[in-house]
Amino acid sequence: MRATFARRTQAPRTVHSWWGKAWQRAVEEAAYSEAELRPGRAAARRGDVGGISVDSGSLLAAVRDGDDAWTVEVVVPTLEPDMAQALVEVVAAESGRIADLLAGALPHDLVEHAEELGVELLPYGGELAATCTCEHYLDPCAHAIAVLTQVGWLVDDDPLVLFAVRGLDREDLLAALHARAAGHGRSAGPVVGELADDVELAVDAALRARRIADLFEAGADFEA
């Protein structure tokens, strides 16, 4: 399911998460030289990147450059169906992982467990295949680096953006977890059935947290 994130005109002070830093390293690996990396990062910080469209295996955005605007598309390999199911199993292996993901955290052991099963969630530089409508002869150009840099900010804020890029967005993940819990619950008794309750509680908690955050940003006062 395609999702479009609004244009960001202010850069974060820093990328704080380990998975956000891993994305940054992949962007550095993808760049041919500092000649593209530095101006690309500067363009991202200036807010030259328009709204970023994230879909299964695809990132799309326009980048302003003076009086011109160029279209950048990045293609990232998606998980094969069996690998996507394996990732669902990894998430479901510990109920706390669902709550962590919905709260904006990516457990390190989740990624390690997935890698043991052959599921690569975090991309490496060679997987970030970028093209741009500008006349630069190398890809990724500075415009593509700007888009990839801002996508890193999105991933830093919400690791489920990473899942979506790999072909398993939030809705698909939750639906798969529900289906797994329901199917196992019929034969495995109430213990496995508790996973469905954990999913519901985690979703509710995440939605409540988002509403509170929105109220804080809107300047609402909360009594102690």
Side-chain angles (χ1 to χ4, degrees):
M1 182 182 297
R2 184 174 293 276
T4 300
F5 295 84
R7 177 189 173 202
R8 294 187 64 163
T9 57
Q10 291 185 337
R13 291 183 178 179
T14 183
V15 172
H16 67 275
S17 68
W18 71 267
W19 59 90
K21 293 175 182 177
W23 181 276
Q24 281 188 323
R25 286 194 296 272
V27 176
E28 292 170 358
E29 292 171 2
Y32 280 91
S33 69
E34 289 289 326
E36 292 79 35
L37 195 59
R38 287 183 178 178
R41 286 174 169 172
R45 290 193 296 269
R46 283 195 305 268
D48 291 346
V49 180
I52 299 175
S53 179
V54 177
D55 201 359
S56 175
S58 173
L59 306 166
L60 185 68
V63 181
R64 184 179 60 200
D65 187 352
D67 295 331
D68 296 317
W70 308 105
T71 300
V72 172
E73 183 174 11
V74 181
V75 177
V76 184
T78 57
L79 300 175
E80 295 293 333
D82 58 334
M83 291 293 97
Q85 183 57 42
L87 182 56
V88 171
E89 295 295 328
V90 169
V91 174
E94 296 183 15
S95 60
R97 290 175 175 173
I98 304 166
D100 285 340
L101 287 170
L102 292 173
L106 180 60
H108 200 280
D109 62 348
L110 185 159
V111 176
E112 290 180 337
H113 188 179
E115 289 177 349
E116 290 171 359
L117 297 178
V119 180
E120 295 291 340
L121 185 60
L122 292 163
Y124 57 89
E127 290 186 305
L128 303 176
T131 58
C132 180
T133 55
C134 76
E135 297 178 352
H136 197 279
Y137 64 96
L138 291 176
D139 288 317
C141 62
H143 307 119
I145 294 296
V147 173
L148 288 169
T149 297
Q150 286 211 2
V151 172
W153 302 347
L154 297 176
V155 170
D156 187 51
D157 290 338
D158 182 3
L160 287 176
V161 172
L162 186 57
F163 279 64
V165 172
R166 287 300 199 186
L168 188 65
D169 65 20
R170 179 187 302 261
E171 288 74 19
D172 289 340
L173 174 62
L174 291 177
L177 289 168
H178 274 294
R180 180 188 182 283
H184 284 229
R186 284 193 295 268
S187 59
V191 174
V192 177
E194 288 176 1
L195 176 59
D197 294 334
D198 288 337
V199 173
E200 296 293 348
L201 289 172
V203 171
D204 183 65
L207 292 175
R208 288 175 182 271
R210 280 190 176 182
R211 286 195 291 268
I212 292 173
D214 290 341
L215 289 173
F216 268 116
E217 291 180 0
D221 293 327
F222 292 86
E223 296 182 358

